[in-house]
Amino acid sequence: MGGQDLIGFLEALRAWGRRHGCADRIDSFIAKVDGDLAVSAELNPAGLTTGGAV
């Protein structure tokens, strides 16, 4: 699975969370999943952060 696929997964997960009443917590959840799976790190090998925005 490529980095763009994982970004798509995180975006779908974010949309799902917002549809199901989790808008107040979904961004921190996405940041945690992103960090644990190193999605942004894979797309940004220099180690620059995306601020949790995917």
Side-chain angles (χ1 to χ4, degrees):
M1 183 178 272
Q4 291 301 326
D5 293 332
L6 291 173
I7 291 292
F9 167 73
L10 292 178
E11 288 300 327
L13 189 58
R14 183 187 314 274
W16 177 87
R18 288 183 176 153
R19 279 193 313 273
H20 293 281
C22 300
D24 59 333
R25 300 180 306 269
I26 196 65
D27 288 334
S28 61
F29 177 73
I30 294 299
K32 177 68 174 145
V33 172
D34 182 11
D36 287 351
L37 297 179
V39 174
S40 294
E42 180 180 328
L43 298 177
N44 191 3
L48 302 174
T49 63
T50 61
V54 176

